[in-house]
Amino acid sequence: LFLLFQGASSLLDMILYYESTTHLDISDNGSMGTSGWRALAHLIKQSVCLSRLDVCNVPMVDYPALSLSKALLTSRLTVLHLHNAQLSGMPLYTLGALKANRALQELHLTNNLLNSYQDALQLGDLLRYNTTLKTLELSNNAVADSLEELCDGLRRQTAGLRVLLLRNNHITAEGMVHLAKTLPVLKVLQVLDLGENFLGNEGIQVIRMPLMVNCSVLQLGLAQASITAVALAEFLAESHQIQRLDLRQNEVKVGGLMALCLALRINCSLASLDLDLALPQEQVSPTQTAD
């Protein structure tokens, strides 16, 4: 929905009047003006039908962030998409009203340059105080290895968060140390995606035993994480609950496939294993060819 500067307020008022819209997408509307944002905030607070709001590719700074924050205190929204909204720093702090929100179930914050300093602290606070959020998507940001605050908040999630997506956040094996302390006590988290990070086999070794102890994670995403399948074979053999494992764009190779095959003979829970259609070509010596 593209809103002209002059007509944004009237159109949003009309949407509220007819009260039939369940999903409102106002992405790419960076020129709504103060009256438009005021009308949107009023719509969010008053609407009974509206359940999903997309405000992507719009800078959420100053008045837009403040008006949205106030509206979220009493809104009935269950899904909120804020992709590429320049939330790093003060805007994310302004959206602190989410800590008191008791309706929102999905929060998507990809491509916001969220950093490992004040942003990681705010995200940790969100998880400490919000008990109804079920999905938190933080992919394509820069949280890096400052996972201590985030994991501390995650440990408080005894009845809420079920999906945590951390793809492409510059996380290394060092960050896995904090996650390793958290995994054994998680009771409700079911989906964990760590793909496109620099975990390496070292990072997998750090969280291997905690993953075995964990009784909640059913889906684990490790695509393009600079790991070999051999590093995960022991976990797969020992796990009693893992149902889906994503290993695409890793160094699987023949040895890894053999290790996975042996592990799958023991594992009774895995229902889906994602691998590349074509494995990387391995160097074969002349003597191996002759054999």
Side-chain angles (χ1 to χ4, degrees), residues 201 204-205 207-208 211-212 220-223 225 227-239 245-247 250 256 259-260 263 273:
N201 289 340
I204 297 303
Q205 290 301 320
I207 62 172
R208 182 174 60 84
L211 276 171
M212 292 180 187
L220 181 61
L222 294 171
I227 60 177
T228 63
V230 177
L232 273 168
E234 187 174 353
F235 156 68
L236 193 56
E238 299 269 344
S239 175
L245 181 61
D246 188 353
L247 293 177
N250 283 298
L260 288 174
L273 176 60

Side-chain angles (χ1 to χ4, degrees), residues 174-225:
E174 185 177 342
M176 292 298 94
V177 174
H178 302 298
L179 188 59
K181 298 175 182 178
T182 306
L183 281 169
V185 299
L186 295 183
K187 304 298 181 184
V188 295
L189 188 70
Q190 298 177 356
V191 180
L192 177 61
D193 196 337
L194 297 167
E196 299 180 47
N197 287 297
F198 311 112
L199 306 184
N201 289 340
E202 182 184 352
I204 297 303
Q205 290 301 320
V206 172
I207 62 172
R208 182 174 60 84
M209 285 303 298
L211 276 171
M212 292 180 187
V213 175
N214 175 274
C215 297
S216 67
V217 176
L218 304 178
Q219 299 182 35
L220 181 61
L222 294 171
Q224 198 176 337

